[in-house]
């Protein structure tokens, strides 16, 4: 494309490196074609048979046309401005045999028509229109030979560091769909003063078979949260000890909040009780960071993206940034204070990294991109992990992690859960393992989960199901949803898998939602059920590559028999696509927010755009009331909850809870709940433990329970938690506690 964030790409900085595209795909999946770009002197332009006006997405349509109609001479030329939109037009002349001898050659193994047309469009936009002839080429498995290289890296690092390529595979029907993309003849347009073609080039590329992969351009992003009141549009959120929700966004050209310095705010603090929000400041770009709570209760945001000084010169490079936020249940003076950034750095740049708190209160930080560029090129990726100490300071070492390396490019934002033996469950793409951080070894390779890809850019959702002493706190992991490739046409996966990773013979028990969903996320509720919300039935994560929103709440009961676990809740009217989130509030309701599936915020849909702008940046929040607070249950909430201590230890010690229960009650439970950090359908560190209790008296309205804490920090790592008491499944208002 000739435009990135609305800026023209100057020819001297234009580079599009095709040499490593689609490396992960087998050469047996491809047939090859050769594309020649002749000069105007050798092959003058012919009368156009048809012209395709395309807004912003010439390469994609050109590739579809080529795949759909076979060998054709395709000319791309800039078109006049229409409705303030820069359009590109492709002319498809009737004769494919007027070609020129190539003067320069770029032989690329496993590069698709999509990537070729991307390069052609870049050259067209900077130096005039080019005839591009597609002729069959002999199959080759030769190594990459590069005599010409077009590269956009420097421009994109400066203007749009979130730009990257992602692989995708077209559905078997795509060729038939491509063939109908040619509209009637329109008079072709050539920009004044531009040559019809410039230096010829030949490119050996891979033509797609129905099951092969493709390369498309994708602007990567992070999750988001939005509000009814002025606020940044989205990103990631976490509930804090003061009962409020903190949002952390990327640098953008519009939010509904401003800081005292006049710049837009990219972080905020929202109070659900008053529906008020205040802006928070930060110093480095938190775009696509990971996060966790430290043992002392501070929240830490790790990694991020490059500065966008043309939007905001006050925010610096966040790729290796560490940001800290302090909140308290008792000190209101901390409310509204911005992020602290004393200058600590992680060992290397990480964009899209996952974070897990360990039993010793250190932070395990895994994966990420080094620069936000093409993840099909290993030099852009960071398939390593590092460890931060309990104060959130890195040890400075990057340690390779094989499950990340072998699953590139689907290696970012892996699912990670702490197990009761102190080791980690790690899920990347379809692969899973148990990893021992202390010894840097894989304890057990687990079977692949059936179905489609499960992690970014086809992320589903994953939860660690509630733990209890009844089975020795044995962990069980659930993963739902996913997709096939990163494009708006991708089908999504309805399947869900459950696995007990520490079982003698772990296996996936498969179940299914009522429809396929990508970007679906699961949130634990205090009664032990799991709420699944948000997402799309078609498409993937990325800007403008999802459609068919999934509006209905799904309720999952893990203790019921297979086949009886799913029920359906209410249906929203608000699309919650890329950058949507859900988090449990202290009152037991679920806050649902976000959806910002466009590169920069828009307030009205723009139909017909490619990438899609059919869905807006969503500034409304919703509060979902689960069944346990609906209907007659609304008047059955336990009240007057008090705890004997709010400073607890995961060592088997006890504390006391007192509350008033409704008359005729039958059962009471106490849960220790950690909401974690929510972004990109991931709920990092999210976990809940049902605690053993004594002293309950069925039917009594005045209750005093003795509650036993988990035996160790493998089961409940240090940090802030919420204690929920439920009576007959209905929760009291939660109380924040600290697990030391």
């Amino acid at each position: 494309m000739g435009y990135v964030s609305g800026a023209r790409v100057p020819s001297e900085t234009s580079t599009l490196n095709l040499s490593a595209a689609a490396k992960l795909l087998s050469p047996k999946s491809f047939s090859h074609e050769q594309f020649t770009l002749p000069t105007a002197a050798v092959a003058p332009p012919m009368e156009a048979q048809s012209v395709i006006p395309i807004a912003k997405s010439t390469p994609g349509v050109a590739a579809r046309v080529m795949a759909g109609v076979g060998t054709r001479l395709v000319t791309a030329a800039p078109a006049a401005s229409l409705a303030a939109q820069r359009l590109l037009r492709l002319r498809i002349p009737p004769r494919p045999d007027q070609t020129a001898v190539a003067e320069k050659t770029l032989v690329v193994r496993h590069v698709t028509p999509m990537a070729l047309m991307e390069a052609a469009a870049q050259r067209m936009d900077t130096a005039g229109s080019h005839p591009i002839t597609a002729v069959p080429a002999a199959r080759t498995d030769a190594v990459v030979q590069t005599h010409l290289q077009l590269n956009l890296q420097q421009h994109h690092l400066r203007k749009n560091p979130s730009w990257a390529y992602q692989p995708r595979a077209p559905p078997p029907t795509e060729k038939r769909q491509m063939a109908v993309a040619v509209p009637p003849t329109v008079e072709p347009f050539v920009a004044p003063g531009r040559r019809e073609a410039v230096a010829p080039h030949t490119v050996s590329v891979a033509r797609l078979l129905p099951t092969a992969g493709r390369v498309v351009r994708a602007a990567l992003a992070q999750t988001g949260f939005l509000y009814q009141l002025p606020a940044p549009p989205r990103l990631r959120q976490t509930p804090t000890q003061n009962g409020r929700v903190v949002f952390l966004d990327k640098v953008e050209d519009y939010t509904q909040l401003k800081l005292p310095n006049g710049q837009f705010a990219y972080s905020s603090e929202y109070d659900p009780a008053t529906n008020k929000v205040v802006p928070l400041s930060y110093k480095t770009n938190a775009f696509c960071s990971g996060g966790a709570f430290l043992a002392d209760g501070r929240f830490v945001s790790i990694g991020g993206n490059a500065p966008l000084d043309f939007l905001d010169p006050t925010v610096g490079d966040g790729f290796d940034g560490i940001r800290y936020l302090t909140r308290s249940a008792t000190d209101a003076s901390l409310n509204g204070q911005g992020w602290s950034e004393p200058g600590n750095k992680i060992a290397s740049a990480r964009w899209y990294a996952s974070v897990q708190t360990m039993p010793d209160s250190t932070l395990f930080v895994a994966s990420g991109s080094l620069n936000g560029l093409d993840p099909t090129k290993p030099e852009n990726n960071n398939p390593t992990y590092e460890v931060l100490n309990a104060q959130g300071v890195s040890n400075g070492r990057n340690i390779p992690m094989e499950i990340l390396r072998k699953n590139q490019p689907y290696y970012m934002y892996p699912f990670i859960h702490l197990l009761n033996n102190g080791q980690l469950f790690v899920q990347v793409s379809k692969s899973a393992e148990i990893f021992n951080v202390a010894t840097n070894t894989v304890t057990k390779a687990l079977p692949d989960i059936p179905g489609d890809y499960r992690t970014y850019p086809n992320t589903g959702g994953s939860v660690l199901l509630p733990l209890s002493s009844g089975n020795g706190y044995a962990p069980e992991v659930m993963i739902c949803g996913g997709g096939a490739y990163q494009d708006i046409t991708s089908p999504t996966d309805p399947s869900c898998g459950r696995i007990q990773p520490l079982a003698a013979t772990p296996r996936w028990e498969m179940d299914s939602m009522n429809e396929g969903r990508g970007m679906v996320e699961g949130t634990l509720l205090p009664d032990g059920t799991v709420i699944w919300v948000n997402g799309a039935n078609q498409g993937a994560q990325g800007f403008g590559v999802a459609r068919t929103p999934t509006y209905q709440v799904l309720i999952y009961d893990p203790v019921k028999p297979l086949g009886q676990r799913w029920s359906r809740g209410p249906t929203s009217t608000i699309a919650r696509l890329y950058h949507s989130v859900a988090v449990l509030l202290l009152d037991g309701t679920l806050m649902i927010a976000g959806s910002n599936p466009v590169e920069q915020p828009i307030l009205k849909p723009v139909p017909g755009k490619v990438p899609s702008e059919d869905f807006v940046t969503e500034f409304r929040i919703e509060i979902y009331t689960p069944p346990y607070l609906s209907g007659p249950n609304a008047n059955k909430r336990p009240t007057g909850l008090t705890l004997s201590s709010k400073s607890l230890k995961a060592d088997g010690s006890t504390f006391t809870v007192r509350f008033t229960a409704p008359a005729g009650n039958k059962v009471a439970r106490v849960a220790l709940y950690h909401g974690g950090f929510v972004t990109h359908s991931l709920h990092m560190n999210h976990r809940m433990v049902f605690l053993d209790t004594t002293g309950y008296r069925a039917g009594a309205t005045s209750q005093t329970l003795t509650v036993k804490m988990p035996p160790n920090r493998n089961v409940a790592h240090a940090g802030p938690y919420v204690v929920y008491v439920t009576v007959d499944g209905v929760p009291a208002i939660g109380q924040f506690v600290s697990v030391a």
Side-chain angles (χ1 to χ4, degrees):
M1 300 183 185
Y3 293 86
V4 180
S5 297
R8 286 293 306 276
V9 181
S11 58
E12 67 269 18
T13 62
S14 296
T15 40
L16 173 58
N17 191 336
L18 305 178
S19 61
K23 280 185 175 180
L24 300 180
L25 298 166
S26 166
K28 296 180 180 179
S29 299
F30 297 92
S31 61
H32 288 74
E33 293 178 342
Q34 189 155 312
F35 294 86
T36 304
L37 284 68
T39 63
V42 180
M46 297 178 291
E47 185 69 25
Q49 183 181 43
S50 51
V51 176
I52 309 172
I54 309 298
K56 289 190 177 180
S57 190
T58 301
V61 177
R64 286 180 169 83
V65 171
M66 297 176 74
V69 302
T71 304
R72 289 290 185 274
L73 183 63
V74 182
T75 300
S81 177
L82 297 176
Q85 300 268 340
R86 182 103 176 148
L87 303 183
L88 302 177
R89 296 184 178 182
L90 301 183
R91 292 182 288 157
I92 305 184
R95 296 183 59 191
D97 54 346
Q98 297 191 9
T99 66
V101 176
E103 296 178 359
K104 297 181 180 179
T105 302
L106 171 61
V107 182
V108 182
R109 186 178 183 180
H110 303 166
V111 177
T112 68
M114 183 74 75
L116 170 75
M117 297 308 297
E118 188 85 11
Q122 291 289 357
R123 290 196 56 80
M124 172 277 301
D125 191 54
T126 57
S129 76
H130 299 258
I132 302 172
T133 301
V135 295
R139 177 168 177 163
T140 176
D141 289 330
V143 292
V144 175
Q145 305 171 36
T146 303
H147 299 287
L148 169 72
Q149 199 172 62
L150 306 172
N151 197 327
L152 285 172
Q153 276 188 1
Q154 294 305 315
H155 174 80
H156 284 290
L157 279 173
R158 180 171 60 90
K159 290 291 187 183
N160 189 11
S162 63
W163 181 86
Y165 277 93
Q166 290 284 4
R168 70 178 179 92
T173 60
E174 187 165 338
K175 288 187 178 181
R176 293 192 294 273
Q177 296 167 348
M178 293 172 185
V180 299
V182 184
T185 300
V186 179
E187 179 64 23
F189 170 85
V190 178
R194 296 215 172 186
R195 297 172 55 196
E196 191 64 18
V198 292
H201 317 293
T202 298
V203 183
S204 176
V205 304
R207 179 168 182 174
L208 300 170
L209 299 177
T211 57
R214 278 228 287 207
V215 175
V216 296
R217 201 178 83 162
L220 307 181
Q222 74 251 359
T223 60
F225 322 87
L226 314 174
Y227 323 103
Q228 294 166 315
L229 294 173
R234 74 214 170 279
L235 221 164
R236 50 195 66 101
Q237 77 181 39
T238 188
T240 55
Q241 298 94 315
N242 57 3
R244 301 181 179 186
V245 180
V246 168
F247 296 89
L248 187 61
D249 197 2
K250 70 180 177 72
V251 175
E252 297 195 298
D253 63 8
Y254 173 76
T255 74
Q256 292 185 341
L257 282 178
K258 282 195 172 183
L259 296 166
N261 65 3
Q263 298 291 339
F264 287 115
Y266 317 116
S267 182
S268 66
E269 183 176 1
Y270 175 67
D271 187 349
T274 63
N275 201 33
K276 293 183 178 180
V277 62
V278 295
L280 304 178
S281 62
Y282 64 50
K283 298 178 183 178
T284 58
N285 192 355
F287 182 35
C288 299
S289 60
F293 282 96
L294 297 175
D296 62 13
R298 286 179 298 160
F299 181 77
V300 60
S301 164
I302 298 169
N305 204 269
L308 298 180
D309 52 10
F310 63 98
L311 290 180
D312 188 341
T314 70
V315 177
D317 191 338
F319 271 116
D320 58 359
I322 305 178
R323 305 158 205 88
Y324 307 87
L325 191 73
T326 304
R327 291 296 184 267
S328 169
T330 57
D331 186 357
S333 68
L334 298 172
N335 297 347
Q337 292 190 12
W339 294 80
S340 170
E341 299 182 57
N344 298 331
K345 302 292 184 181
I346 50 177
S348 58
R350 296 187 186 273
W351 184 57
Y352 280 79
S354 294
V355 183
Q356 174 63 53
T357 305
M358 299 300 295
D360 62 358
S361 300
T362 60
L363 300 182
F364 176 83
V365 182
S367 189
S369 170
L370 293 169
N371 50 29
L373 297 178
D374 184 358
T376 67
K377 300 173 184 177
E379 62 267 26
N380 294 329
N381 302 339
N382 194 353
T384 70
Y385 73 88
E386 62 183 281
V387 176
L388 276 61
N389 66 19
Q391 288 73 47
V393 178
S394 175
N395 65 9
R397 298 174 55 217
N398 295 303
I399 304 172
M401 193 170 187
E402 177 62 17
I403 194 172
L404 299 176
R405 186 202 63 79
K406 73 177 184 180
N407 282 291
Q408 297 174 88
Y410 281 82
Y411 77 105
M412 291 185 283
Y413 272 154
F415 295 139
I416 304 176
H417 300 288
L418 176 64
L419 306 178
N420 67 340
N421 64 355
Q423 300 180 32
L424 299 179
F425 170 90
V426 181
Q427 173 82 33
V428 184
S429 183
K430 302 179 183 182
S431 302
E433 68 182 23
I434 300 174
F435 186 73
N436 189 322
V437 179
T439 62
N440 188 33
T441 57
V442 177
T443 303
K444 181 185 295 185
L446 301 171
D448 286 1
I449 185 172
D452 285 331
Y453 297 114
R454 306 291 180 163
T455 52
Y456 187 87
N458 295 105
T459 303
S462 178
V463 294
L464 179 67
L465 294 176
L467 303 169
S468 72
S469 65
N471 62 358
Y473 304 99
E476 187 167 13
V477 174
M478 181 181 184
I479 295 175
C480 286
Y485 48 88
Q486 190 185 38
D487 186 71
I488 200 168
T489 62
S490 173
T492 55
D493 197 327
S495 70
C496 296
R498 281 172 60 168
I499 191 170
Q500 298 178 20
L502 297 182
T505 308
R507 65 179 184 86
W508 290 99
E509 178 189 75
M510 301 305 295
D511 202 342
S512 182
M513 299 179 287
N514 64 315
E515 60 183 341
R517 288 194 178 196
M519 298 174 283
V520 64
E521 55 190 292
T523 305
L524 298 166
L525 296 186
D527 66 350
T529 59
V530 187
I531 295 294
W532 294 87
V533 295
N534 300 342
N537 182 248
Q538 198 171 21
Q541 289 174 306
F543 291 138
V545 289
R547 60 190 177 194
T548 319
T550 47
Y551 295 104
Q552 191 169 45
V553 172
L554 300 180
I555 306 170
Y556 182 83
D557 190 339
V559 302
K560 288 186 176 180
L562 181 64
Q564 302 176 30
R565 295 169 180 165
W566 289 101
S567 59
R568 302 187 193 185
T571 298
S572 176
T573 59
I574 300 176
R576 302 292 185 181
L577 301 174
Y578 197 38
H579 300 159
S580 297
V581 294
V583 64
L584 188 70
L585 301 178
L586 290 177
D587 66 357
T589 61
L590 192 72
M591 176 179 168
I592 301 173
S595 193
N596 188 34
V598 288
E599 184 174 4
Q600 293 293 337
I602 62 172
L603 304 180
K604 294 182 179 180
V606 186
K609 296 290 288 296
V610 180
S612 170
E613 293 185 4
D614 289 346
F615 299 97
V616 301
T617 303
E618 185 56 66
F619 284 85
R620 291 172 290 177
I621 65 168
E622 294 173 282
I623 299 296
Y624 166 62
T625 301
Y628 55 48
L629 290 174
S630 301
N633 290 334
N635 299 317
K636 295 182 179 179
R637 188 193 289 276
T639 59
L641 177 64
T642 61
L643 283 64
S644 61
S645 175
K646 293 188 177 181
S647 297
L648 308 175
K649 294 183 178 181
D651 60 0
S653 57
T654 63
F655 65 100
T656 301
V657 298
R658 293 180 173 86
F659 57 92
T660 300
N665 58 84
K666 299 177 181 178
V667 64
R669 302 179 82 180
V670 179
L672 187 66
Y673 188 100
H674 188 81
F677 174 70
V678 185
T679 185
H680 285 81
S681 305
L682 279 74
H683 289 225
M684 299 180 192
N685 286 290
H686 187 29
R687 64 200 296 115
M688 185 174 78
V689 185
F690 282 121
L691 303 179
D692 293 339
T693 66
T694 58
Y696 171 71
R697 295 175 296 129
T701 57
S702 179
Q703 299 281 354
T704 300
L705 306 184
T706 299
V707 185
K708 186 177 182 179
M709 284 290 289
N712 53 55
R713 288 185 291 182
N714 297 342
V715 178
H717 59 71
Y721 286 75
V722 175
V723 169
Y724 287 104
V725 173
T726 60
V727 176
D728 297 331
V730 181
I733 302 295
Q735 300 276 331
F736 263 105
V737 299
S738 173
V739 175

